Amino acid sequence: MSKQEFTITVYTENQIGLLNRIAIIFSRRKINIESLNTSPSEVESVHRFTIVINETEDVVRKLCRQIEKQVEVLKAYYNTNEELVWQELALYKVPTDVIAEKVKVERLLRQYGAKAVVIRKDYTVFETAGHREEIDTLIKALEPYGLIEFVRSARVAIIKASKGFHEKLKEFDQAEPAEEVIENEFLDKQDEVFTM
Amino acid sequence: MSNSTILDAAETKKQVAEAPKTISGSQAVLEAFLAEGVDTIFGYPGGAIMPIYDALYDYTDRLEHILVRHEQGGIHAGQGYARASGRVGVVFATSGPGATNLVTGLADAMIDSTPLVCVTGQVFAHLLGTDAFQETDVINITTPVTKWNYQVTDATEIPSVLAKAFYIAKTGRPGPVLIDITKNAQLQMFEYSGYTPCNHIRSYKPKPTVRKEYIVEAAKLINEAKKPFVIFGQGVILGRAEKEFKAFIEKTGLPAAWTIMGMSAIPTDHPLGVGMLGMHGNYAPNVLTNECDVLIAVGMRFDDRVTGRLDKYAKQAQVIHFDIDPAEIDKNVKSAVPVWGDCKETLPLLTDLLEKRDHSEWLAKFRELEKKEVEEVINEELNPSTEILTMGEVLKVLNELTDGNAIIATDVGQHQMVACRYAKYNNTMSNVTSGGLGTMGFGLPAAIGAKYGAPDKTVVAIIGDGGFQMTIQELGTIMQFGAAVKILILNNQFLGMVRQWQQLFHDKRYSFVNITSPDYVQVAKGYGIEGKKIDQRADLKNAVKTMLDHDGAYLLEVMVGKENNVFPMVPQGCGVSEIRLK
């Protein structure tokens, strides 16, 4: 199985120290986290981690189970890029005089859908949102014109097939695992859903 | 009594129970312990946990505190207590070095799924992060080695946090929990309105939902199997599913082998028991792992010491894996049928679906290979032809005298493998050993804890001359509190297991395995513990009998062969069926 980019989406309680607990699951196996974002989720009080790594599916599946095992983690999903809509945000600081003088730069920014966030006499800050490759191409394009500062955010991603976490959460609110044996909805859905 | 009186009485009772009273955070910790049925605490005081120890002063009639000699001893004792009793072990340590001394025990308890609640003191909340005296970032240090940990800075949180701690430690796949409480929270007075045990945490599902379809599938595989083989681990003991497990293997006569952690879940002389798996396990179960057609793993995690080389492990077999922890499924060995769940619930469902089959021919194959092992290894180990004593014969004598009814706590190394290979067990929870982490120094303190966990049982600590010197200070704990632990030192004047490897795989280049010992009998005497040292076969039986019959703790040192090896052995990097008899 070859390595590819996977995005892991983790729904959690909001708890100090949980970031570390999740991060060490990767560092323990010497896996580099390409990008990590924490944010609120569609459900109030539930947090959402978005983690991007480059690994084989086998390893990613095991990682997700280890993550889900943590007491404060509700659920961990993993997806390939095809299964996601995602964006990263980037900020570029460039000298204002260059932009003012060089028509090419203006065209470039327009082409990439960059917006000016701040315009000052000495510098201008542009932002773009998009996939990493798009952002990276713009850096390359801007470099010859004196890119002063650059920063890119972690990936945020929406799972195309997800129906949101509201319904899922109800399962966790049940008092205890059912005493009686029930037919399990997760059967044969291993690749999509993990459960504890 | 009229209805109204009953109501009144109920009302009054309710009010009494809920009447808020003002207590300190420290008292709240101890109240939680009482509510959780804790009877014994292993601990060591220090600056940052002093308020809790001050409160403890008024609880000594209800809580027994054992003052250990080192926090590592304390946590291993807590583990021994938990393993022998099936209850949660409770440990106290102070901040900084006290807390860091717990780390080895936490890692051991984590990997061996031992339920513990450790409470550490911490500096005042306003000093956190200032490099204050005895401040260390305990939460972050212990995160990888705890099932859950939490820092309390406000006393009002204590009842609910401790309720969660006990619930998490003992449910699902058990494990160690550490609660770090800042000194201000210990001192803080707050309105206490009683203790409510925890039985639900939204994000924590201790038991996976049982998937009946997979049980049906598992039953089908087993019913069709010609050579089914059951391997089981500590999950059977932790799930208290010994009875269900026995019923399962007995229904259709399935041969069953145990991992080191699963040992004693069924009596070692059970007619379907075929011995121990793994690197120094028995010959038959290792060889036949690679011959069975259906491998049924129950509550075990395919540790590398059990599987040897993974790509040569049971490749011919369909694997059915019972485990409560979904993260274990397909972690090391891919299963054809995963059965997630508590084996106390899943096994009976499976047993119901099993059809009676005759596997006596298959079982006979195990016995045949067992005979080979007896002839080539066991006979010489138990009845040596030379004058030099072997570890195995010491175990043989111990078995005769305890009849398999003792709890045996071991340390780590050759003596541990020999003890696990030859010890006889009739009762569950009798084998207290450091399986996953292999912690030298575990044996003595764990035996002390086991004695408190099972006071009516004889507890024998079998320890090598290396490991004993790692936690020898706990003799002081025995001296002060009188735990009647029988200490059996098997002294081969070497760090034997490392020496064995150096002999077999490093051309006999004995690099720092030659370890000297003090006069253990004198050391014991210094601690007021009776002892004896022997090196003659003629003295063995009497000496072991004296040790067992002695009223109280006793130390027996047996000098055994210096360069004896433990066999069989699956060499590292080899498949299980490449197990060597010599």
Side-chain angles (χ1 to χ4, degrees):
Chain A
M1 229 186 284
S2 63
K3 287 188 182 183
Q4 61 166 314
E5 207 165 74
F6 281 97
T7 301
I8 299 171
T9 304
V10 190
Y11 288 93
T12 74
E13 302 289 359
N14 184 16
Q15 177 87 45
I16 293 169
L18 186 57
L19 172 61
N20 186 30
R21 229 172 227 288
I22 290 174
I24 60 175
I25 291 170
F26 297 90
S27 56
R28 178 183 179 187
R29 291 169 180 245
K30 208 167 176 189
I31 291 169
N32 189 36
I33 295 176
E34 306 281 339
S35 127
L36 185 152
N37 182 74
T38 70
S39 78
S41 73
E42 58 271 27
V43 181
E44 204 190 322
S45 85
V46 172
H47 268 238
R48 180 171 178 156
F49 285 67
T50 308
I51 304 165
V52 182
I53 60 164
N54 216 330
E55 259 307 332
T56 62
E57 183 169 359
D58 204 38
V59 169
V60 174
R61 183 184 298 126
K62 286 176 193 174
L63 288 168
C64 281
R65 289 189 181 168
Q66 294 291 347
I67 292 169
E68 222 170 66
K69 201 168 141 170
Q70 306 309 316
V71 169
E72 277 111 359
V73 170
L74 290 150
K75 211 99 193 82
Y77 303 93
Y78 70 83
N79 294 96
T80 59
N81 289 345
E82 295 72 47
E83 295 163 348
L84 299 166
V85 175
W86 84 92
Q87 292 284 59
E88 287 169 3
L89 179 85
L91 298 176
Y92 310 77
K93 186 159 100 184
V94 284
T96 303
D97 49 358
V98 177
I99 306 160
E101 286 159 21
K102 302 225 157 104
V103 186
K104 214 171 162 192
V105 176
E106 199 195 313
R107 204 182 304 133
L108 205 61
L109 294 168
R110 207 182 295 236
Q111 182 191 330
Y112 283 91
K115 278 190 305 187
V117 187
V118 173
I119 304 169
R120 284 174 40 141
K121 228 189 266 167
D122 45 350
Y123 66 81
T124 300
V125 176
F126 290 99
E127 73 159 66
T128 59
H131 288 188
R132 179 162 306 181
E133 307 75 60
E134 297 159 3
I135 289 167
D136 287 351
T137 331
L138 183 55
I139 308 177
K140 286 239 160 55
L142 284 176
E143 259 165 6
Y145 305 104
L147 179 64
I148 304 168
E149 225 181 300
F150 167 75
V151 65
R152 183 182 60 215
S153 77
R155 170 183 294 189
V156 290
I158 292 284
I159 304 168
K160 288 177 185 167
S162 170
K163 295 190 177 70
F165 207 68
H166 298 277
E167 279 305 307
K168 196 90 216 143
L169 190 66
K170 287 184 188 155
E171 286 169 25
F172 292 89
D173 286 330
Q174 288 161 7
E176 258 309 272
E179 301 285 321
E180 75 279 15
V181 179
I182 56 162
E183 302 292 324
N184 195 288
E185 62 175 300
F186 304 125
L187 182 64
D188 300 326
K189 285 193 190 164
Q190 268 200 33
D191 292 350
E192 271 177 60
V193 188
F194 297 92
T195 189
M196 286 198 71
Chain B
M1 204 188 274
S2 74
N3 269 348
S4 64
T5 346
I6 294 169
L7 275 177
D8 284 351
E11 194 63 25
T12 326
K13 206 174 157 197
K14 206 174 153 199
Q15 273 171 10
V16 171
E18 286 179 9
K21 50 181 179 176
T22 306
I23 66 169
S24 69
S26 299
Q27 282 172 290
V29 171
L30 302 174
E31 287 295 329
F33 286 179
L34 290 177
E36 291 287 347
V38 173
D39 53 17
T40 313
I41 303 162
F42 301 93
Y44 205 99
I49 198 169
M50 270 173 59
I52 289 179
Y53 271 84
D54 182 63
L56 184 62
Y57 196 77
D58 296 323
Y59 282 79
T60 46
D61 53 333
R62 287 157 287 169
L63 291 166
E64 185 168 20
H65 178 274
I66 308 301
L67 177 67
V68 293
R69 292 301 182 267
H70 186 284
E71 290 86 354
Q72 185 189 354
I75 190 162
H76 290 331
Q79 291 178 270
Y81 175 94
R83 295 270 290 273
S85 68
R87 297 159 66 194
V88 178
V90 175
V91 181
F92 276 162
T94 193
S95 67
T100 56
N101 281 343
L102 296 180
V103 171
T104 304
L106 289 170
D108 194 288
M110 186 71 175
I111 203 163
D112 280 350
S113 309
T114 309
L116 292 181
V117 169
C118 301
V119 173
T120 50
Q122 181 56 282
V123 300
F124 285 91
H126 70 271
L127 292 174
L128 287 171
T130 65
D131 302 320
F133 178 66
Q134 291 194 329
E135 188 213 350
T136 191
D137 184 356
V138 179
I139 294 298
N140 278 311
I141 286 177
T142 60
T143 294
V145 289
T146 49
K147 186 175 174 188
W148 188 64
N149 59 7
Y150 189 81
Q151 186 172 61
V152 177
T153 52
D154 181 341
T156 57
E157 281 191 302
I158 287 175
S160 64
V161 165
L162 278 171
K164 259 179 97 169
F166 278 94
Y167 176 64
I168 292 168
K170 67 189 175 193
T171 52
R173 179 177 179 174
V177 170
L178 182 136
I179 306 299
D180 193 38
I181 308 178
T182 56
K183 204 167 175 180
N184 59 294
Q186 296 171 38
L187 292 165
Q188 183 190 339
M189 303 300 288
F190 71 107
E191 296 254 297
Y192 178 70
S193 47
Y195 182 83
T196 317
C198 175
N199 59 19
H200 173 63
I201 296 168
R202 181 169 77 166
S203 56
Y204 170 66
K205 290 238 183 272
K207 283 187 197 176
T209 316
V210 176
R211 303 163 61 153
K212 211 164 77 186
E213 319 81 286
Y214 279 1
I215 291 174
V216 172
E217 233 173 284
K220 196 170 148 241
L221 272 184
I222 299 171
N223 284 334
E224 284 168 3
K226 295 273 175 292
K227 295 188 268 182
F229 180 29
V230 179
I231 56 179
F232 66 96
Q234 197 193 196
V236 175
I237 297 171
L238 292 170
R240 303 314 321 271
E242 296 92 346
K243 218 178 74 203
E244 291 77 3
F245 180 78
K246 256 171 82 175
F248 157 61
I249 56 169
E250 282 168 2
K251 173 129 183 207
T252 170
L254 302 169
W258 50 82
T259 68
I260 188 172
M261 298 301 292
M263 194 162 195
S264 84
I266 61 170
T268 42
D269 57 5
H270 190 282
L272 291 168
V274 294
M276 182 169 82
L277 295 156
M279 186 174 268
H280 291 291
N282 292 106
Y283 188 62
N286 275 310
V287 170
L288 296 179
T289 295
N290 280 358
E291 272 182 42
C292 64
D293 56 359
V294 176
L295 187 67
I296 306 127
V298 183
M300 56 86 72
R301 59 184 177 82
F302 294 106
D303 180 87
D304 61 280
R305 284 297 192 266
V306 162
T307 63
R309 213 173 129 161
L310 265 181
D311 58 6
K312 290 186 179 175
Y313 184 79
K315 285 292 165 199
Q316 79 296 342
Q318 302 248 55
V319 177
I320 304 171
H321 193 177
F322 285 75
D323 211 291
I324 196 164
D325 178 359
E328 288 303 336
I329 304 289
D330 294 348
K331 187 181 82 178
N332 296 331
V333 172
K334 266 242 176 298
S335 53
V337 183
V339 185
W340 299 352
D342 182 342
C343 61
K344 199 175 176 69
E345 294 166 14
T346 52
L347 285 174
L349 295 171
L350 176 68
T351 308
D352 280 347
L353 300 176
L354 291 186
E355 290 155 17
K356 284 217 156 62
R357 291 278 187 276
D358 177 22
H359 293 300
S360 51
E361 217 169 286
W362 168 233
L363 184 63
K365 225 167 167 187
F366 284 87
R367 298 305 174 208
E368 209 175 286
L369 293 178
E370 186 181 300
K371 222 177 113 198
K372 193 173 153 93
E373 187 184 345
V374 168
E375 280 164 8
E376 293 187 34
V377 179
I378 299 175
N379 273 344
E380 182 59 24
E381 181 70 29
L382 299 186
N383 310 293
S385 51
T386 60
E387 270 179 32
I388 300 162
L389 285 169
T390 65
M391 293 183 180
E393 66 183 311
V394 179
L395 261 296
K396 187 179 89 171
V397 169
L398 186 69
N399 286 341
E400 283 166 19
L401 294 171
T402 62
D403 199 26
N405 290 319
I407 289 178
I408 295 179
T410 78
D411 214 81
V412 168
Q414 283 188 321
H415 73 277
Q416 175 193 30
M417 291 300 109
V418 171
C420 292
R421 284 179 49 78
Y422 298 107
K424 182 179 171 194
Y425 293 112
N426 296 332
N427 311 303
T428 185
M429 298 197 288
S430 295
N431 183 36
V432 179
T433 192
S434 170
L437 199 68
T439 307
M440 285 177 71
F442 177 83
L444 181 63
I448 295 170
K451 186 65 190 171
Y452 284 97
D456 300 333
K457 290 264 178 74
T458 300
V459 176
V460 182
I462 299 180
I463 310 178
D465 47 321
F468 189 59
Q469 293 186 66
M470 281 201 180
T471 46
I472 196 167
Q473 77 283 348
E474 298 308 328
L475 289 173
T477 309
I478 294 176
M479 170 180 68
Q480 188 171 352
F481 296 92
V485 173
K486 313 297 177 183
I487 304 158
L488 181 50
I489 300 177
L490 301 179
N491 187 347
N492 58 8
Q493 304 166 65
F494 266 122
L495 298 173
M497 188 57 92
V498 182
R499 188 208 53 74
Q500 175 171 344
W501 282 53
Q502 289 179 348
Q503 180 193 335
L504 298 176
F505 310 116
H506 297 274
D507 301 327
K508 252 190 160 181
R509 286 150 56 91
Y510 288 170
S511 184
F512 300 99
V513 287
N514 185 351
I515 190 168
T516 54
S517 283
D519 181 336
Y520 291 122
V521 176
Q522 280 298 318
V523 171
K525 205 172 167 195
Y527 281 104
I529 297 166
E530 289 264 336
K532 194 177 164 84
K533 173 179 178 174
I534 59 159
D535 56 8
Q536 295 297 315
R537 183 160 297 128
D539 301 330
L540 180 59
K541 194 159 186 175
N542 267 336
V544 175
K545 192 167 183 327
T546 307
M547 171 186 83
L548 293 171
D549 291 346
H550 184 79
D551 186 19
Y554 192 93
L555 181 146
L556 174 64
E557 179 186 8
V558 182
M559 302 305 290
V560 294
K562 279 188 77 166
E563 296 190 58
N564 292 359
N565 289 333
V566 187
F567 281 111
M569 178 178 194
V570 180
Q572 205 165 40
C574 292
V576 279
S577 50
E578 295 169 76
I579 185 167
R580 286 167 57 172
L581 283 167
K582 54 187 171 215

